[in-house]
Amino acid sequence: RGGLYELANHNTFNSGEFTNCKFDKITMSVNCAFADNTRTIVFKNCVLPIYGYLIKLSPFAYSQGIVNVVFEDCIITDLKDDGFELIYAYSKPMEGSSIIFRNCTIDKPTGNLIGGYNNGIDWKLNLIFENTLLSDNLQLNDTQKQYVNLIIK
């Protein structure tokens, strides 16, 4: 207990279920390198104080794959307030990828929803917010709008 928890892609972090978790500080590097990934990472009823990005899609800028992450009934707060994006697309998600926030509260006063390294690879991500409170500044910039299907319900 204590310190920064990093859930990392080096051990192919692309699945798992976390229920009733409370972290002191967290960041995660989600593996986004498998086109045939059918697995999902699920966080239910968790407290996630983020330190930098909540999610960095990894491992490499030229990697491309399917990623699926669901946050349900979670509280996500930004401890660092450093202007980092909520999600950083270093690796590029393919058609069929989704990150879903359902019944969550997201308090991140600076930064955009998503950012990434532009390497010319076409990518697609469904970014879905269902009954989720977002900080007003969390928007898509013009560059990201061509890659991200933003759905707010």
Side-chain angles (χ1 to χ4, degrees), residues 37-88:
N37 179 37
T38 59
R39 298 177 177 163
T40 303
I41 300 168
V42 179
F43 288 87
K44 290 183 181 176
N45 196 34
C46 293
V47 176
L48 304 167
I50 59 176
Y51 195 76
Y53 309 112
L54 173 62
I55 295 175
K56 178 182 178 185
L57 300 177
S58 298
F60 306 110
Y62 58 83
S63 300
Q64 195 169 21
I66 294 177
V67 63
N68 294 297
V69 184
V70 176
F71 297 91
E72 190 169 329
D73 299 313
C74 293
I75 298 171
I76 300 165
T77 56
D78 186 358
L79 293 177
K80 205 170 178 182
D81 193 17
D82 53 14
F84 280 21
E85 293 86 359
L86 186 66
I87 300 161
Y88 186 74

Side-chain angles (χ1 to χ4, degrees), residues 71-111:
F71 297 91
E72 190 169 329
D73 299 313
C74 293
I75 298 171
I76 300 165
T77 56
D78 186 358
L79 293 177
K80 205 170 178 182
D81 193 17
D82 53 14
F84 280 21
E85 293 86 359
L86 186 66
I87 300 161
Y88 186 74
Y90 188 55
S91 291
K92 304 304 182 243
M94 297 172 67
E95 188 75 38
S97 295
S98 64
I99 299 175
I100 301 170
F101 297 88
R102 187 177 297 126
N103 301 318
C104 295
T105 299
I106 301 173
D107 181 16
K108 185 163 180 22
T110 61

